[in-house]
Amino acid sequence: MKCSEILKYLTELYPLELAMDWDNSGFLIGRKEKEVKNVLVVLDITNDVLDYAKANGIDLIVSHHPIIFSAVKKVTDETLLGNYILKILRNDTSVIAMHTNFDIAGGGMADICSERLGLSNTSVLEITNEIEEEKLGIGKIGDLEREVSLDELIELVKSKFGLKKLAVFGRTNVPSKIKRVAISPGSGKGMYKYALKRADVLITGDITHHDGLDAVNDGICVIDATHYGLEHLFIDKIKSDLDKCESIKVFEFKNTNPVEII
């Protein structure tokens, strides 16, 4: 398959028009008409990822987070991004990013995470799009299969997302039994406002000291499962999608989490 054919396939599943205005999803680096045999799926592009790509003859990297977010005025070996781009071009590798379009699209990040928790009666946390009267957006709110305590919910999140540790803000803000929860994979800065008075707990990532203070004082509990902790499900889903293309071999690289909570 060509890069352009893989891009077309992925964007039919996760349309680029759903992406947030500030995002930079899509075909970012390389040759669209390059023939692709080996594809690597990752959350982030790092030096370790690029070394792995070179060693395994990877033609195309499909990442969740765009390697290029804003305008680039020069590409040299004097910057980290410049070195990334030079390595990618030197190895004749192409790059596609499926970011907020994947987060928002039906069957994408929001749906995967809510299904992982077994949520029912779901609705969108932050509505960003409406297509044929279907509301789409960032995150989900829904009901757990049964009422649980906060400690039980914490263990459920750890189990379902393969996590060892979590951070909790506002433990005293939760009722004795929790039924309705919100989940917003990735960076949850400010997302607690969409969950206020709609959910007992918000599960998200990247909560800073001041974000946590604001959430606690506004009366909601937030579980910080880290940015990587929830979004790593992207890798399995995109690999599963691409495995349906018989002419390519799909690799995955999962060890890009920069956070280790001891």
Side-chain angles (χ1 to χ4, degrees):
M1 296 180 72
K2 295 180 180 179
C3 283
S4 58
E5 293 173 312
I6 295 173
L7 178 66
K8 182 176 183 292
Y9 169 63
L10 290 175
T11 53
E12 284 174 352
L13 296 173
Y14 314 108
L16 288 176
E17 55 265 30
L18 295 180
M20 304 292 280
D21 292 341
W22 48 263
D23 196 14
N24 192 34
S25 293
F27 190 79
L28 301 185
I29 299 176
R31 298 185 292 118
K32 267 193 174 181
E33 299 311 302
K34 176 182 172 63
E35 290 288 346
V36 174
K37 293 182 180 178
N38 298 322
V39 181
L40 176 61
V41 183
V42 299
L43 198 72
D44 303 279
I45 292 177
T46 65
N47 279 315
D48 286 344
V49 166
L50 294 179
D51 289 344
Y52 179 90
K54 182 179 180 180
N56 288 276
I58 299 299
D59 303 300
L60 171 66
I61 298 173
V62 179
S63 68
H64 183 47
H65 297 127
I67 189 172
I68 301 172
F69 253 116
S70 53
V72 178
K73 294 186 177 180
K74 62 180 181 178
V75 177
T76 72
D77 62 0
E78 298 170 300
T79 66
L80 182 61
L81 177 58
N83 272 294
Y84 284 165
I85 294 173
L86 288 171
K87 280 185 179 181
I88 290 166
L89 294 176
R90 190 180 301 123
N91 294 327
D92 193 20
T93 308
S94 297
V95 175
I96 291 172
M98 295 282 108
H99 191 212
T100 55
N101 56 316
F102 178 84
D103 291 340
I104 293 167
M109 191 73 79
D111 285 339
I112 295 168
C113 288
S114 66
E115 289 166 7
R116 182 65 65 99
L117 290 175
L119 300 185
S120 60
N121 303 317
T122 59
S123 59
V124 177
L125 181 59
E126 179 192 2
I127 297 171
T128 60
N129 302 83
E130 187 168 344
I131 298 177
E132 297 180 354
E133 299 185 357
E134 180 186 5
K135 292 179 172 61
L136 299 170
I138 302 294
K140 291 282 187 179
I141 293 181
D143 293 325
L144 295 166
E145 293 178 356
R146 62 180 180 85
E147 292 185 336
V148 297
S149 67
L150 179 59
D151 286 340
E152 287 175 315
L153 178 59
I154 289 169
E155 292 306 314
L156 177 67
V157 174
K158 286 180 180 178
S159 171
K160 294 297 184 180
F161 292 92
L163 305 173
K164 295 180 179 179
K165 301 286 185 179
L166 302 170
V168 180
F169 298 82
R171 174 180 281 274
T172 59
N173 286 340
V174 296
S176 59
K177 292 297 181 181
I178 297 164
K179 180 68 173 178
R180 196 154 180 83
V181 301
I183 186 162
S184 180
S187 179
K189 183 177 181 181
M191 291 300 294
Y192 81 88
K193 296 175 183 178
Y194 297 98
L196 283 173
K197 305 193 185 307
R198 296 174 64 197
D200 299 319
V201 176
L202 169 65
I203 304 161
T204 188
D206 284 354
I207 298 300
T208 67
H209 174 80
H210 293 289
D211 293 334
L213 278 178
D214 290 346
V216 170
N217 282 282
D218 258 343
I220 192 168
C221 174
V222 179
I223 294 175
D224 186 338
T226 76
H227 198 124
Y228 181 92
L230 301 177
E231 287 198 329
H232 67 83
L233 298 187
F234 166 88
I235 299 171
D236 289 338
K237 183 61 170 71
I238 294 293
K239 184 179 187 302
S240 175
D241 292 333
L242 291 174
D243 278 339
K244 296 172 185 176
C245 303
E246 296 180 357
S247 61
I248 59 175
K249 183 177 180 180
V250 186
F251 297 73
E252 58 184 17
F253 191 102
K254 291 187 174 181
N255 301 318
T256 61
N257 188 3
V259 179
E260 183 179 3
I261 303 174
I262 306 299

